[in-house]
Amino acid sequence: MLLNLHTHLLNKQAGEEIILNQIIPDSEEALANFALPDTPNWLSAGIHPWYIHEKLYPQQLKKLAYLAADPAVKLIGECGLDRLKGAPLPLQEEVFIKQIRIAEEHRKALIIHCVRCFNELISIRKIVRPRVPMIVHGFNNKIEIARQLIEKGFYLSLGGAVLSEESNAVKILQEMPLENLFLETDDKEIHISDIYQKVSEMKRISIDELEKIIFDNYLTITSLQ
């Protein structure tokens, strides 16, 4: 089974298991009517930093707290911090910490969006000290940041960037331990099988071995549920 840890698209391949992301909406009407889709797929749900409403965020958090109890929701997020877009950073930090608390209550791992806020992310982890695992999704940043995150206990989920020979993700793959790795397609119209193929070639292991490692990592992060 090819686990696709994070996707916004329902273009599932044969032999693929996806975790379909659900973003808590930022309008009053959409929020009132928002519900999880009727689907056999696994889900994640969270308040993306781009969609934090400065007045409605308490209702957004209340909706997430309700949805987090659903067994179909395997991960909380994507949530996190973005210095380039979204609500003011102090509000992003407040809402992120409250989502960590929700994840802790329901014993579910966090899938994290982080743009130019890695110092803040590490600081929040140090202060809050969550017991649930934290996965930075779509990681394609400098290898020094990857090393720091892995040292602090984060998982990294890599996406389509691994298909580009010059990407940071490729450099990271060359040295990162597989027990910290997940793979994803995010919002890209690409096949998860192509990502697995590339990673298996780079790490010089079979796709079957890679599938097992990734799924074992998933069992590890969901073992608290």
Side-chain angles (χ1 to χ4, degrees):
M1 182 184 71
L2 301 172
L3 177 64
N4 185 347
L5 189 80
H6 180 74
T7 181
H8 297 268
L9 305 175
L10 267 174
N11 54 355
K12 189 174 177 179
Q13 294 178 271
E16 178 184 1
E17 186 67 64
I18 67 173
I19 300 182
L20 182 66
N21 188 237
Q22 305 295 299
I23 297 174
I24 305 297
D26 60 352
S27 76
E28 193 165 5
E29 181 179 358
L31 190 57
N33 296 320
F34 185 76
L36 297 175
D38 183 13
T39 172
N41 297 299
W42 295 339
L43 304 171
S44 59
I47 307 168
H48 193 291
W50 295 358
Y51 301 106
I52 296 170
H53 193 289
E54 292 189 44
K55 294 182 178 178
L56 293 177
Y57 75 88
Q59 291 97 305
Q60 291 178 296
L61 286 163
K62 185 176 179 180
K63 176 69 74 170
L64 177 60
Y66 171 76
L67 297 176
D70 194 304
V73 175
K74 304 301 182 182
L75 305 174
I76 302 301
E78 61 185 288
C79 56
L81 307 169
D82 193 318
R83 195 176 298 278
L84 301 183
K85 185 175 178 179
L89 192 57
L91 179 57
Q92 289 188 31
E93 291 177 333
E94 177 185 346
V95 173
F96 179 43
I97 289 170
K98 288 181 177 177
Q99 290 186 87
I100 294 173
R101 301 298 189 200
I102 291 171
E104 286 278 278
E105 179 182 351
H106 295 279
R107 300 163 67 95
K108 294 182 178 181
L110 289 139
I111 183 93
I112 295 169
H113 170 104
C114 188
V115 175
R116 298 192 183 181
C117 287
F118 291 103
N119 287 337
E120 290 84 355
L121 175 61
I122 291 169
S123 177
I124 286 172
R125 181 183 175 95
K126 183 177 180 180
I127 293 167
V128 179
R129 300 178 67 181
R131 294 165 298 165
V132 295
M134 304 178 84
I135 309 122
V136 180
H137 100 88
F139 192 85
N140 187 32
N141 216 296
K142 295 178 181 178
I143 195 164
E144 293 80 11
I145 296 174
R147 288 170 181 157
Q148 191 175 12
L149 289 169
I150 291 168
E151 181 184 344
K152 300 297 183 183
F154 288 87
Y155 292 82
L156 303 181
S157 183
L158 309 184
V162 301
L163 303 176
S164 174
E165 294 292 341
E166 302 303 315
S167 70
N168 286 318
V170 165
K171 297 172 186 175
I172 291 160
L173 261 177
Q174 291 171 351
E175 68 169 58
M176 77 170 288
L178 290 173
E179 58 265 28
N180 291 86
L181 177 67
F182 287 102
L183 301 174
E184 63 174 68
T185 58
D186 196 12
D187 58 355
K188 305 297 187 298
E189 292 280 359
I190 54 179
H191 291 152
I192 195 69
S193 58
D194 293 335
I195 296 174
Y196 272 78
Q197 179 66 43
K198 178 66 174 181
V199 173
S200 72
E201 291 170 1
M202 287 188 60
K203 301 303 280 187
R204 297 183 179 180
I205 61 173
S206 71
I207 289 180
D208 286 346
E209 288 177 283
L210 181 59
E211 285 181 39
K212 184 179 186 307
I213 290 167
I214 297 292
F215 195 70
D216 283 348
N217 292 346
Y218 172 75
L219 293 178
T220 297
I221 67 166
T222 56
S223 62
L224 295 175
Q225 296 178 24

